[in-house]
Amino acid sequence: MLLQGPYRALFAEFLGTLFFSLFGSEEVEAALGNGFCLAVIIFMTADASGGHVNPAVTLATIINGAMTPVLGIAYMAAQLLGGLFGTLISAGLTPHAKIGWMKDNMGP
């Protein structure tokens, strides 16, 4: 394997949140599709990282004492970056997508 140990886990969390951000928001029966997408991604990442795929789950694991704070913060950073990249990829694939923080970028 190319990645082992914590690097493998961090990469799995990054990819998991990237895929969830990219595919979990599709409008095909939103709740059902979102749930199936999340279940597949958790199953996909469970062996490598525990399948957290959510900073809130990682925070709960840190508070519970099952994970060190340093590793937990690294997990959360990987998850946030994965979500950001997944959103940017999704926006890049969407025709006429508007990206930005200004009020002018909102709406049709």
Side-chain angles (χ1 to χ4, degrees):
M1 284 193 196
L2 297 174
L3 297 173
Q4 294 185 1
Y7 299 111
R8 180 177 181 226
L10 293 173
F11 188 65
E13 290 294 319
F14 174 82
L15 279 183
T17 53
L18 185 144
F19 287 150
F20 187 65
S21 178
L22 185 59
F23 300 116
S25 62
E26 295 298 320
E27 296 183 21
V28 179
E29 299 296 329
L32 187 61
N34 206 348
F36 280 136
C37 182
L38 185 58
V40 167
I41 289 170
I42 289 172
F43 184 76
M44 177 182 79
T45 60
D47 184 48
S49 66
H52 296 193
V53 195
N54 185 334
V57 173
T58 303
L59 181 61
T61 307
I62 294 168
I63 292 170
N64 190 30
M67 177 181 280
T68 64
V70 172
L71 184 59
I73 290 170
Y75 265 48
M76 287 189 257
Q79 292 160 352
L80 292 171
L81 285 173
L84 175 67
F85 278 87
T87 301
L88 290 174
I89 291 169
S90 178
L93 294 174
T94 304
H96 310 294
K98 295 180 180 179
I99 302 172
W101 300 102
M102 306 303 284
K103 185 177 179 183
D104 295 337
N105 290 331
M106 302 295 233

